[in-house]
Amino acid sequence: ARAKKRAENFTRHAHHTSTTVCTTPQRELKPLDNQRIGNNMCLLCFSSKPLSPDEAKGKYGSAFGPYASNPDKFDISMCQAPFKACPCWITSMLCFPCAQTHMRKKALNHIEPGSGWSNYECCQGYFGGCCCLQPGKCGESACPVPCMCLEACCCPGLAASTNSMLIRDKYGLGLDEDDVRLIRCSNCLMCFAVILSCIGICFDWDGEQACISIVNGIADVTFCCVSGCMTAQANHEIDLREKQQAPQREAMER
């Protein structure tokens, strides 16, 4: 009788537990959660942890490294830029030099309204110079627009990074997880391209040119997408900040 009673109690407990588990409402993913998951799917192979000291070396690493610990972030990440700032993202990829020239003037005049091109210099001094070509000594004061066009055509990556870093400096914005992943993704592609080029010099194999062409194509597409994301992110931040500052300016004028 006791064994039978224990069995009945066990059955009731098991039924109550299963009912409770089945009736417990599951948390639904919000649209922002779904978008975040979709944005990071292509970069899951790369860690989102802060940049290590080795990764913070070199021209790019030393330029972005100081922002890694800043708590404030851009309003949108670079992976969100194609969705939330699509027109700017596409335009910056289709006409890269024109987009970077426009963004430089927009960023400089956002930092100091009405300054025009008076504060322009090559890469704004973020990445140093090379031999006789030093920022501020390349005729920027006399011909700022032609110099900016040359910068965008000859150093497209530095031009896009400079526009982004101007806004980072202005508001003390740090690197978010998507930024770190994209930096690591670019570093991985660069290392792979160098290794493949060295192997191609030392050894010959069937399909060598096709393989190198594919890697170069992937690197070019990645560069265009990342540069477009960086430009759209900075442009979105400028527009957002100016909208927030507009009511304050009107109140001060009154």
Side-chain angles (χ1 to χ4, degrees), residues 164-183:
S164 176
M165 290 166 66
L166 283 170
I167 307 304
R168 289 187 189 275
D169 274 344
K170 171 68 175 178
Y171 299 106
L173 303 177
L175 299 173
D176 58 28
E177 294 181 356
D178 292 337
D179 296 334
V180 174
R181 285 194 175 103
L182 284 172
I183 290 173

Side-chain angles (χ1 to χ4, degrees), residues 48-153:
S48 61
K49 294 181 180 179
L51 296 176
S52 65
D54 290 337
E55 291 174 313
K57 294 178 180 179
K59 285 191 175 182
Y60 284 99
S62 60
F64 284 100
Y67 306 105
S69 58
N70 292 0
D72 296 333
K73 314 294 180 185
F74 277 97
D75 182 63
I76 61 174
S77 67
M78 284 198 285
C79 286
Q80 291 175 330
F83 306 99
K84 295 188 176 182
C86 186
C88 182
W89 177 62
I90 294 176
T91 304
S92 62
M93 290 189 296
L94 293 178
C95 191
F96 191 88
C98 296
Q100 298 310 317
T101 302
H102 171 75
M103 272 299 302
R104 182 65 58 82
K105 184 178 181 181
K106 186 174 183 178
L108 291 174
N109 285 268
H110 174 72
I111 295 172
E112 187 176 343
S115 60
W117 287 98
S118 59
N119 294 328
Y120 168 76
E121 62 181 53
C122 183
C123 296
Q124 300 306 127
Y126 283 113
F127 299 99
C130 178
C131 298
C132 59
L133 299 177
Q134 298 295 329
K137 300 179 180 179
C138 300
E140 297 100 318
S141 58
C143 304
V145 177
C147 289
M148 179 62 219
C149 292
L150 286 174
E151 177 188 330
C153 293

Side-chain angles (χ1 to χ4, degrees), residues 27-37:
R27 186 181 74 88
E28 296 181 357
L29 288 175
K30 298 179 181 179
L32 183 61
D33 296 334
N34 290 327
Q35 186 179 17
R36 188 71 178 180
I37 292 173

